Amino acid sequence: MTIEQLMSFLEEDLGFGDITSDLLIPRGLKAKGVIVAKERGIVAGVEEAEMLFKHFGVNVKINRRDGNVVNPGDVIIEVEGEARSILMVERTVLNIMMRMSGIATETKALVEKIRKAGLNVKIAATRKTAPGLRALDKKAVIIGGGEPHRLRLDDAILIKDNHIALVGSVKEALQRARENVSFVKKIEVEAKTLSEALEASESGADIVMLDDMKPEQIREVVQYLKNKGLYGKVLLEASGGINPSNVIEYASTGVHVISLGYLTHSAKALDMSLEITT
Amino acid sequence: MTIEQLMSFLEEDLGFGDITSDLLIPRGLKAKGVIVAKERGIVAGVEEAEMLFKHFGVNVKINRRDGNVVNPGDVIIEVEGEARSILMVERTVLNIMMRMSGIATETKALVEKIRKAGLNVKIAATRKTAPGLRALDKKAVIIGGGEPHRLRLDDAILIKDNHIALVGSVKEALQRARENVSFVKKIEVEAKTLSEALEASESGADIVMLDDMKPEQIREVVQYLKNKGLYGKVLLEASGGINPSNVIEYASTGVHVISLGYLTHSAKALDMSLEITT
Amino acid sequence: MTIEQLMSFLEEDLGFGDITSDLLIPRGLKAKGVIVAKERGIVAGVEEAEMLFKHFGVNVKINRRDGNVVNPGDVIIEVEGEARSILMVERTVLNIMMRMSGIATETKALVEKIRKAGLNVKIAATRKTAPGLRALDKKAVIIGGGEPHRLRLDDAILIKDNHIALVGSVKEALQRARENVSFVKKIEVEAKTLSEALEASESGADIVMLDDMKPEQIREVVQYLKNKGLYGKVLLEASGGINPSNVIEYASTGVHVISLGYLTHSAKALDMSLEITT
Amino acid sequence: MTIEQLMSFLEEDLGFGDITSDLLIPRGLKAKGVIVAKERGIVAGVEEAEMLFKHFGVNVKINRRDGNVVNPGDVIIEVEGEARSILMVERTVLNIMMRMSGIATETKALVEKIRKAGLNVKIAATRKTAPGLRALDKKAVIIGGGEPHRLRLDDAILIKDNHIALVGSVKEALQRARENVSFVKKIEVEAKTLSEALEASESGADIVMLDDMKPEQIREVVQYLKNKGLYGKVLLEASGGINPSNVIEYASTGVHVISLGYLTHSAKALDMSLEITT
Amino acid sequence: MTIEQLMSFLEEDLGFGDITSDLLIPRGLKAKGVIVAKERGIVAGVEEAEMLFKHFGVNVKINRRDGNVVNPGDVIIEVEGEARSILMVERTVLNIMMRMSGIATETKALVEKIRKAGLNVKIAATRKTAPGLRALDKKAVIIGGGEPHRLRLDDAILIKDNHIALVGSVKEALQRARENVSFVKKIEVEAKTLSEALEASESGADIVMLDDMKPEQIREVVQYLKNKGLYGKVLLEASGGINPSNVIEYASTGVHVISLGYLTHSAKALDMSLEITT
Amino acid sequence: MTIEQLMSFLEEDLGFGDITSDLLIPRGLKAKGVIVAKERGIVAGVEEAEMLFKHFGVNVKINRRDGNVVNPGDVIIEVEGEARSILMVERTVLNIMMRMSGIATETKALVEKIRKAGLNVKIAATRKTAPGLRALDKKAVIIGGGEPHRLRLDDAILIKDNHIALVGSVKEALQRARENVSFVKKIEVEAKTLSEALEASESGADIVMLDDMKPEQIREVVQYLKNKGLYGKVLLEASGGINPSNVIEYASTGVHVISLGYLTHSAKALDMSLEITT
């Protein structure tokens, strides 16, 4: 995220200026402030906050870096500089940090849940990010220990149900893809049934996404692939309807990756505030 | 939201192109599809979806307009056109509609709750929107029957705790603001105590935000203002720690507006999908 | 105004470069220069000039700040740095400063005229600004002691004659507005007759713009409102056909604000030049 | 001027939307309107107005084209379409047309004055245009029968006083320029004295700008060049302190071009309004 | 490539306008024209040309599509419309088509050479594209039958010599990459020696780039991998110093891909012209 | 070229980030590196490289400036700073430098060839530049000792064959141009025959481009103009089908300028690499 992109977020909030601070706070008045966590979680967005404050000449002391745990009352960042600048940037910085930290916190919770269950399954995001925030949403997932998955449509081949509906069959779709795909790209196929999953695995997919399947269906696919000697040769991703309460059940089926749209499309912000201390 | 801004969301997802569809789907293949609700809620983002599809020559039939109720299985939009175009735009359209519909749905739920309790209190958003999505987030709140509140920092004067900390007192801050504020702007003051609330009301604020107060504290402010003959001359807004479970309690204190950051900073998406039907 | 926006003004003038200076002035040659006033007036645009010069590493000493009076020959800014950079930026800086200073000077002249007449009426700009220069034009008005009025269409409700023509009546228009307007917005109504002015005042407008009325008509409105006990509850703005020669006549009618489009749509530049001193 | 640039002017005025029209005017309501001249002058900006209206599906009938004379009450443009769209675009269109028409009108007045005096001298603009409006300001000058002069710094060589101060002499500056200048560029030199003017003419300048000279000084230069047989080989431009009252005096000195900064830096708008007729 | 990006190319060439055509060609004059090949080759850029012409209302008839062979004199595109528009767009369209066709032609020549030699090796581009033209350059390679390779730095892992120098060894670098790489990304490693190539192949690289090796060295790597049973499990790419005269020698070593920077960094344009036919 | 434009080239290559370096290289690791020439030529793009490296805090030591000769192995630039930053910028910097140096090298070769032949003829580029790279391509030509010719369509009048076809004759076209052209612009005419060349020279063109003529035809034009006493009053430019092998033949015909499209449309990159030295 370049400073130009962060500035566009500030300008969206600013319009022609922070008219309240301009009326109340004399130019040249210096102030100190702290960004304080109001909930327990994983902090993210600290790099972006630092860039924005520094762009306006505000000094920044980082107490908690991206990925650190914070508890209520923890000071994440200390700032010192022109009071008007701190107040002008406040909301934009908090909006960025609260969203990113919320995503990182939820991702980390799932990652830890799986780790504690002794499982070795990755937690991945999807392309269901907030429009315009793909880069920050994916970065927050990574900070939380998750996996970004495809960054964009041009990142890897992912043959979805709509493609298969138009092409006719998983096999035909995979064949067309393999003939022309760039050698630097992987091919993933979305399968909704055992037979589609097998067809994909046998036709050379690198990854098979088992979409909207129940854990027992997934176990069946895994068993079948093991019988065929294909398990381990193709990566298995579970997706659809997975949430914190059933994630362990899915994670113990034998899949390698679990992807969850809600990490980014329904991100719950981590509460923080900026408090002027002088 | 201009088509240029919507296109920037698409380009974020697209990169150099939808390489999967380009490999699998022949240019010129026509398809039909539907956007279907998978949850009950209030739909929003239909205008934006229509603009994006039409920009690529895809015909659009609108079955549910912004603000309509949808139930699982309801077809919101029918599309018909170049298959590649429909698939290319699919995710961006869904990301916009799912976020906006989620915000509209949650806003409407609160608005209805208050209406059913026979109360006349407005539900307002805050500036805690997703960076870059201020316009869409605020529009979704309005579609849900809520109130956008300040669109930006230049929209109205809002004297917050950090301003008061730097200026010294509510009274002094209000005086500075009133002397120089444009005559087209209202002045709102954030009060954290009864005495600040009274000071603000007596010093000419148009709106007093009762921040992080408990319902009983707010009742006390209301009673005090009624005794002074000020109730009704100044608008009262409650903010901080309000959620669906306590919103009625707050709404029955006598405040005129309740603002909630979570409507936009922790929006839960309304689930939808696009299904190719031919 | 961000440096990115100022740079776009420079790039407009620059094209592929200042080919004259590049041919004549060796890279590395240092120079000093001064920006000198050639007319008496109020200076504005100094902050913008400083940002542009500093962006190219030119040192800037400010002798006259935004809002200061200047007389012919007064040095406003002293610069020192790479000769090519000073010459490259010269015209863009002068174009900004001359326009802004011209607006500030004319605004100040009216503000002083009214102050000297012992009247307490505000001088306001309109949205009749040069396209793309809304922010600088409004800032110049403020520097001249004036009032910016609406920054944009989304800043306040202003029901104009064309709205009334389409809606049917002032009363109906005001009622529609009041039902749905955000509580942070004021409502202004344009009235062209005594009866419209009364209708607006009685139907809850915050501000009534008395448009294209003669001073005697305005006095009649004022008297009428006083009789009704409404004077002072609604703000009165006079607009249309007001100029330096009749502004005192309008200002003494009892209105609170006088707005004049010509301040920005027909701004006369304040003459200045940049002179290389070494 | 592309539609994208015109849209940026509209967006500046619009912010998140025309909230007044959105509250008052139902979507789908059609309206007719006219843009009417309120002063006599030369109309300009009609092409830009047409582009903006059409971009929003508003039908446009052009009664007066760029360059036509208009009298008070003349209908320049008739529009018909969605009422909300007409009102949303109104101010931006008028701001463009009023500024451009003002520039065209003033230019035409000078051009006509000179033509009526039986003189053959061109009226030229300078680079003293409003920041961001170079293209529209220059276009308006051309519509008024004037000459755009340099579009940007990269358009031709113009050796000014500051260059000469840094280089040492007109002759040395011209020599450096001629050695390296592109063969597609002309070279103009600013002269403040007779001797500088002669030095420039004799050293191969294509154009000599006689800057801040009185008419009698210019006559002296002309006579001197005639004596040397140089008159007619080099183009003579008078600049500095020229205005409508002395322009004929300057135009009759023998110069070929007269350039005036005030045409664009102090443009007086031509008054117009948009009136809804249904 | 969106129309907005193509327009930015036109605006670069246009500045304030096509002043020659504006002086000579009356508005409204219609013309026909053809884009004609002046060399034999593979045509590309037709889609982009079509978008630009249509954006200005010029009708387009396509005689040769992207990827078609053209011979000198062949009409690729016929256009008909406003003469000024055709002339304004001419150079930008030709610059795009000539570069893209040049790249496609050279790519196709290599692809055909290899096909005729009975070999099954892919021809790939690199990231050595003209700045700002990545998308068009890669598209031209694909049109020519080549392989785009990485679109950007975020497209796949490619561990290069500079990475290895900083990390210490191929093995260590590969291990770091494999631990954290997203499961949708492939890993490629640049090897400059036999031992690096083996280390990469044995440590789990998906692709090994044999950089700046001679054909005999590459044969040695291939033989070694065959002996180890690794050949075919890892993709082999030859790069560095390969050109039309030695490409067959490289292609017959057993590598799967040959990448060549010169396809895009030293693209030779295919000559074409636009001729007005009426 | 502003840093904003250079950053857009980097962002094109970067996408969401240099994922390889981010995986392998620890934040904070410092490195040194050198940009080394791998071919003999004229270096260009050094200023642009310096701007990009410095933008990321990388220290730069310049050993060879724009226009200097380099030999294989010569260190052009030494860099020192954050390893991740150096690697992230590497390819973009090299793509800029290699293209610009290739253009400068080829231009210089022609310029030297002509100088050594004792001729005084300028080598000029055309508008056949890579889309989006007009400024850099023209700058590289200048660094190589060449002449940029028209920067854009608005830079000078150039009446081409298509204009003449539409207008009817060279004479008529020239007359239209001369009547309305700005006095700061030169007029060039493209002539394909002796008679067109004479018509242009006699009708007041500043420059005549002898297009697609053979050297003997050009000699004939020169002789004819000499006979008429016009040679030297109009500048002669030869264009079309000129290359290194016949350039001397053309240069000795008596023309003043030779323009060659291939300098920029078929630029061959000068090979360079960036090597990490620690």
Side-chain angles (χ1 to χ4, degrees), chain B residues 181-185, chain C residues 124 147 149 186 188 207 235 237 257:
Chain B
V181 67
S182 168
F183 68 96
V184 297
K185 301 289 186 193
Chain C
E147 200 353 299
H149 212 307
K186 288 195 174 175
E188 180 167 3
I207 311 163
L235 216 68
E237 176 184 349
V257 181

Side-chain angles (χ1 to χ4, degrees), chain D:
Chain D
M1 178 105 334
T2 62
I3 184 64
E4 286 75 19
Q5 292 169 297
L6 296 176
M7 279 297 293
S8 77
F9 295 148
L10 176 64
E11 285 165 22
E12 176 194 53
D13 188 39
L14 200 55
F16 289 167
D18 179 358
I19 58 173
T20 304
S21 300
D22 290 353
L23 284 181
L24 301 181
I25 313 294
R27 193 188 302 275
L29 183 71
K30 301 294 175 188
K32 292 183 182 179
V34 289
I35 294 183
V36 181
K38 297 168 79 173
E39 286 184 90
R40 179 179 170 82
I42 302 298
V43 75
V46 174
E47 288 186 347
E48 285 70 24
E50 190 181 8
M51 286 170 76
L52 263 173
F53 280 122
K54 285 192 172 170
H55 191 67
F56 291 96
V58 174
N59 292 322
V60 177
K61 179 162 172 291
I62 310 289
N63 293 340
R64 296 286 183 283
R65 300 217 157 265
D66 287 334
N68 286 175
V69 173
V70 289
N71 285 299
D74 281 2
V75 170
I76 304 167
I77 294 175
E78 298 175 46
V79 293
E80 181 169 4
E82 180 87 17
R84 283 186 177 191
S85 299
I86 295 171
L87 295 176
M88 176 178 71
V89 175
E90 170 184 353
R91 185 75 265 142
T92 301
V93 160
L94 289 175
N95 284 352
I96 293 170
M97 290 182 69
M98 285 171 60
R99 177 176 178 86
M100 289 183 72
S101 300
I103 292 172
T105 299
E106 184 63 21
T107 305
K108 189 70 166 193
L110 293 180
V111 167
E112 285 298 298
K113 197 167 213 168
I114 282 169
R115 195 185 56 79
K116 283 177 186 160
L119 297 165
N120 183 19
V121 176
K122 291 187 172 179
I123 293 298
T126 64
R127 281 170 43 244
K128 297 180 182 177
T129 51
L133 295 173
R134 181 67 53 85
L136 293 187
D137 282 8
K138 295 282 193 183
K139 182 177 178 183
V141 166
I142 295 170
I143 289 170
E147 201 353 296
H149 212 304
R150 284 201 297 175
L151 303 176
R152 310 179 201 76
L153 282 167
D154 70 6
D155 210 27
I157 305 298
L158 176 38
I159 303 175
K160 307 197 74 172
D161 52 354
N162 282 333
H163 294 111
I164 297 166
L166 285 162
V167 170
S169 73
V170 164
K171 199 174 171 179
E172 168 67 14
L174 250 168
Q175 192 176 319
R176 285 193 202 172
R178 289 178 59 201
E179 267 166 27
N180 290 297
V181 67
S182 168
F183 67 96
V184 297
K185 301 289 185 193
K186 288 197 174 173
I187 300 178
E188 179 166 6
V189 179
E190 190 177 292
K192 293 196 173 299
T193 64
L194 172 60
S195 74
E196 281 186 349
L198 297 182
E199 202 176 328
S201 301
E202 287 165 349
S203 306
D206 295 297
I207 312 161
V208 174
M209 181 198 287
L210 304 170
D211 192 40
D212 278 331
M213 289 191 187
K214 292 186 179 154
E216 54 270 26
Q217 291 176 290
I218 293 177
R219 285 182 200 278
E220 196 182 356
V221 172
V222 167
Q223 190 55 50
Y224 213 102
L225 290 178
K226 283 182 174 164
N227 295 346
K228 291 270 189 179
L230 286 167
Y231 184 74
K233 297 201 172 149
V234 64
L235 216 69
L236 294 179
E237 174 182 351
S239 190
I242 309 178
N243 53 54
S245 69
N246 63 15
V247 70
I248 292 297
E249 204 183 347
Y250 276 92
S252 53
T253 56
V255 295
H256 308 93
V257 181
I258 289 175
S259 60
L260 309 101
Y262 91 92
L263 287 177
T264 50
H265 73 52
S266 298
K268 194 191 146 298
L270 190 78
D271 204 10
M272 297 175 190
S273 67
L274 185 149
E275 289 162 24
I276 292 294
T277 52
T278 50

Side-chain angles (χ1 to χ4, degrees), chain A residues 9-269:
Chain A
F9 294 149
L10 177 63
E11 284 165 24
E12 177 194 53
D13 187 38
L14 200 54
F16 288 168
D18 179 359
I19 59 173
T20 305
S21 300
D22 289 353
L23 283 181
L24 300 180
I25 313 292
R27 194 187 300 275
L29 183 72
K30 301 295 175 186
K32 293 184 183 178
V34 289
I35 293 183
V36 181
K38 296 168 81 173
E39 287 185 88
R40 179 177 172 82
I42 302 297
V43 74
V46 174
E47 287 185 348
E48 284 72 22
E50 190 180 9
M51 285 171 77
L52 262 175
F53 279 123
K54 285 190 171 170
H55 191 67
F56 290 95
V58 174
N59 291 320
V60 177
K61 183 164 170 288
I62 309 290
N63 292 341
R64 295 288 184 282
R65 300 217 156 267
D66 286 336
N68 287 175
V69 172
V70 290
N71 284 300
D74 281 2
V75 171
I76 303 168
I77 293 176
E78 298 175 45
V79 293
E80 182 170 4
E82 181 85 19
R84 283 186 176 191
S85 299
I86 295 172
L87 295 176
M88 177 177 71
V89 176
E90 172 185 350
R91 184 76 266 140
T92 302
V93 160
L94 289 175
N95 284 353
I96 294 171
M97 290 182 68
M98 285 170 59
R99 177 173 178 88
M100 290 183 71
S101 300
I103 293 172
T105 299
E106 184 63 21
T107 306
K108 189 70 165 192
L110 293 181
V111 167
E112 284 299 298
K113 198 166 211 168
I114 282 169
R115 195 187 56 77
K116 281 178 186 157
L119 298 165
N120 183 20
V121 176
K122 290 187 174 181
I123 294 298
T126 65
R127 282 168 45 244
K128 298 180 182 177
T129 52
L133 294 173
R134 180 68 52 85
L136 292 187
D137 281 7
K138 293 284 193 182
K139 182 177 178 184
V141 166
I142 295 171
I143 289 170
E147 192 7 290
H149 212 304
R150 284 201 298 175
L151 302 176
R152 309 178 201 76
L153 281 167
D154 71 5
D155 211 26
I157 304 300
L158 175 39
I159 302 173
K160 306 197 75 170
D161 51 356
N162 281 334
H163 294 111
I164 296 166
L166 286 162
V167 172
S169 73
V170 165
K171 199 173 173 181
E172 168 66 13
L174 249 169
Q175 191 175 322
R176 285 193 202 173
R178 288 179 62 200
E179 267 166 27
N180 290 297
V181 67
S182 168
F183 68 95
V184 298
K185 302 288 185 195
K186 288 194 174 175
I187 299 178
E188 179 166 4
V189 179
E190 194 178 289
K192 292 196 174 298
T193 63
L194 172 60
S195 74
E196 281 187 348
L198 296 182
E199 200 176 329
S201 302
E202 286 165 349
S203 308
D206 295 296
I207 311 162
V208 174
M209 181 198 288
L210 305 170
D211 193 41
D212 279 329
M213 288 192 186
K214 293 189 180 154
E216 54 270 25
Q217 292 176 289
I218 295 178
R219 284 183 201 279
E220 195 182 357
V221 172
V222 168
Q223 191 53 49
Y224 213 101
L225 290 178
K226 282 182 175 166
N227 295 347
K228 291 270 189 178
L230 286 167
Y231 185 72
K233 296 201 172 149
V234 64
L235 215 69
L236 294 178
E237 175 184 348
S239 191
I242 310 179
N243 54 54
S245 69
N246 63 15
V247 70
I248 291 299
E249 203 183 348
Y250 276 91
S252 53
T253 55
V255 296
H256 307 94
V257 181
I258 289 173
S259 59
L260 310 100
Y262 91 91
L263 287 177
T264 51
H265 73 51
S266 298
K268 194 191 146 296

Side-chain angles (χ1 to χ4, degrees), chain E:
Chain E
M1 179 103 336
T2 62
I3 184 63
E4 286 76 19
Q5 293 169 298
L6 296 175
M7 279 298 293
S8 77
F9 295 148
L10 176 64
E11 285 165 22
E12 177 194 52
D13 188 38
L14 199 55
F16 289 167
D18 179 358
I19 59 172
T20 306
S21 302
D22 290 353
L23 284 181
L24 300 180
I25 312 294
R27 191 189 304 275
L29 184 71
K30 302 294 174 186
K32 292 184 185 180
V34 288
I35 294 184
V36 181
K38 298 168 78 173
E39 288 184 89
R40 179 179 171 81
I42 302 297
V43 75
V46 175
E47 287 185 346
E48 285 71 23
E50 189 181 9
M51 285 170 76
L52 263 173
F53 279 122
K54 286 193 171 170
H55 190 67
F56 291 95
V58 174
N59 292 321
V60 177
K61 178 161 173 290
I62 309 289
N63 293 339
R64 294 288 183 282
R65 302 216 155 267
D66 287 334
N68 287 175
V69 173
V70 290
N71 285 300
D74 282 2
V75 170
I76 304 167
I77 293 176
E78 297 175 45
V79 292
E80 180 169 7
E82 180 86 18
R84 283 187 176 191
S85 299
I86 295 171
L87 294 175
M88 177 178 71
V89 175
E90 170 185 352
R91 186 75 265 141
T92 301
V93 160
L94 289 175
N95 283 353
I96 293 170
M97 289 182 69
M98 285 171 60
R99 177 175 177 86
M100 289 184 71
S101 300
I103 293 172
T105 299
E106 183 64 22
T107 305
K108 190 71 166 191
L110 293 180
V111 167
E112 285 298 298
K113 197 167 213 168
I114 281 170
R115 195 186 56 79
K116 282 176 186 160
L119 297 166
N120 183 20
V121 176
K122 291 186 172 180
I123 293 298
T126 66
R127 281 169 42 244
K128 296 179 182 178
T129 52
L133 294 173
R134 180 68 53 85
L136 293 187
D137 282 8
K138 294 283 192 182
K139 183 176 177 182
V141 167
I142 295 171
I143 290 170
E147 206 342 306
H149 212 304
R150 283 202 298 174
L151 303 176
R152 309 177 202 80
L153 280 166
D154 70 6
D155 210 26
I157 304 297
L158 175 39
I159 302 173
K160 307 198 74 170
D161 52 355
N162 281 335
H163 294 112
I164 296 166
L166 285 162
V167 170
S169 74
V170 165
K171 197 173 172 181
E172 168 67 14
L174 250 169
Q175 190 176 323
R176 284 193 203 172
R178 290 178 59 200
E179 267 166 27
N180 290 297
V181 67
S182 168
F183 67 96
V184 297
K185 302 288 185 194
K186 288 194 176 176
I187 300 177
E188 178 166 6
V189 179
E190 191 178 291
K192 293 196 174 299
T193 63
L194 171 61
S195 76
E196 280 186 350
L198 297 181
E199 201 176 327
S201 301
E202 287 166 348
S203 307
D206 294 296
I207 312 161
V208 175
M209 181 198 287
L210 304 170
D211 192 40
D212 278 329
M213 290 191 186
K214 293 188 179 153
E216 54 269 26
Q217 291 176 291
I218 293 178
R219 286 183 200 280
E220 194 181 358
V221 172
V222 167
Q223 190 54 49
Y224 213 102
L225 290 178
K226 283 181 173 164
N227 296 346
K228 289 272 190 178
L230 286 167
Y231 183 75
K233 297 199 172 151
V234 64
L235 214 70
L236 294 178
E237 174 183 351
S239 190
I242 309 177
N243 54 54
S245 70
N246 63 16
V247 69
I248 292 298
E249 202 183 347
Y250 276 92
S252 55
T253 55
V255 296
H256 308 93
V257 181
I258 288 175
S259 60
L260 309 101
Y262 91 92
L263 287 178
T264 51
H265 74 52
S266 298
K268 195 190 146 297
L270 191 78
D271 205 9
M272 298 174 189
S273 67
L274 184 149
E275 289 162 23
I276 294 292
T277 52
T278 51

